[in-house]
Amino acid sequence: MEKINLVEQIKKLKKERKAIILSHNYQPPEVQGIADFVGDSLELSQKAAAATEAEVIIFCGVHFMAETAYILNPGKKIILPDPETGCPLANTITAKALLEELENYSNLAVVCYINSSAEVKAESDICCTSSNALKVVESLREHQILFVPDKNLANYVNSQTDKLVIPWEGSCPIHDKLITREEALKLKEEHPEAKFMAHPECRLEVLVLADRVCGTSGMLKYVKESSAKEFIVGTEAGMAYRLKKENPDKNFITFKESICPDMKCVTLEKILHSLETLNSCIVVPESVRLKAKRAVVRMLELS
Ligand code: 13P
């Protein structure tokens, strides 16, 4: 089907199904174009929590994001257009492994990054995203924090607080392996006027080179407020699309291999298919959902 027809069909069915389409900032341009809302992980969970009118939420992102929407909104159909889209970072921890690790500690709080399964959230005290991780950690009365599963975000927060933040051995392969210190130094040398923004999922050795460490929507805000004309984008390369769209007079330089294949799986065809069939609904067992919801709501109340 031609793209223009696809878009028309999606718009028509979206109305009939009382659906909304949410998209993460890393999604392909045509997906962002059809979405009712595009944002970072925190904004998307806030939107999902507030989506009172909708009966269906088409979640253009990866599995843990749609699962978080279900945790907050079990009465709605939450659909992932490609049910196979996961997050390698979220897969670095299971609830069983977390519970085993907790046997080694006492008097410690567990903060789980939103890039984790509902089962892991259910065993955590509070959830966080890249935009509020430091605030979440500082809000806790415990001094010792086990931070799961992203070790780079944990190390970054540890460098910004007096608390002791103990990292889990997990990382995002894109931010940890493909956004390297060597390439960052090279890009900075090639573009001496550019400001370097780095996502806190990158290694500390990369973060120390950055003019600003922030999540994806933090990058949008930084670029809007900055008088600089050129920016090195230290996150998934898809981020450059929205940055350029909203700041056409500025230039964005991305790391050459920083593509998340899972984030690129959603297509207009799959969105249309989801609206037609209402298949691939995300569901979490109620006992897990209720426990996970406590951790997510506690975070949202702070944000
Ligand atoms: P943001 O919350 O900054 O959008 O990050 C999401 C993510 O999964 C980064 O890899």
Side-chain angles (χ1 to χ4, degrees), residues 8 31 53 62 66 77 93 145 155 178 184 198 252 256-257:
E8 287 315 310
V31 173
E53 300 291 302
V62 293
K77 279 187 188 296
I93 186 168
I145 315 289
N155 289 334
L178 301 178
F252 300 94
K256 61 178 183 312
E257 292 185 61

Side-chain angles (χ1 to χ4, degrees), residues 24 26 40-42 64-65 113 115 130 175 199 201 215-216:
H24 188 264
Y26 295 154
D40 70 2
S41 304
L42 178 64
F64 76 81
M65 294 178 174
Y113 191 31
N115 300 42
S130 62
H175 290 90
H199 196 283
E201 286 181 24
T216 57

Side-chain angles (χ1 to χ4, degrees), residues 73 108 118 150 256-257 292:
N73 250 322
L108 152 145
D150 192 304
K256 61 178 183 312
E257 292 185 61

Side-chain angles (χ1 to χ4, degrees), residues 181-201:
R181 182 175 167 88
E182 293 64 41
E183 192 172 351
L185 286 168
K186 185 170 158 278
L187 292 175
K188 277 166 74 80
E189 203 180 306
E190 287 168 3
H191 305 273
E193 301 296 318
K195 296 285 180 196
F196 175 33
M197 309 181 286
H199 196 283
E201 286 181 24

Side-chain angles (χ1 to χ4, degrees), residues 236-292:
E236 210 274 343
M239 188 62 213
Y241 167 71
R242 191 168 166 206
L243 285 166
K244 185 73 185 171
K245 187 171 168 225
E246 295 184 14
N247 304 277
D249 58 329
K250 301 190 176 184
N251 285 334
F252 300 94
I253 302 125
T254 57
F255 285 69
K256 61 178 183 312
E257 292 185 61
S258 60
I259 307 281
C260 171
D262 285 270
M263 279 286 180
K264 306 301 178 229
C265 285
V266 181
T267 60
L268 292 181
E269 284 81 1
K270 288 179 191 174
I271 294 174
L272 180 59
H273 183 73
S274 301
L275 286 165
E276 280 166 352
T277 62
L278 299 184
N279 278 342
S280 305
C281 292
I282 301 295
V283 186
V284 177
E286 192 59 5
S287 57
V288 175
R289 187 188 76 79
L290 289 173
K291 282 176 77 186

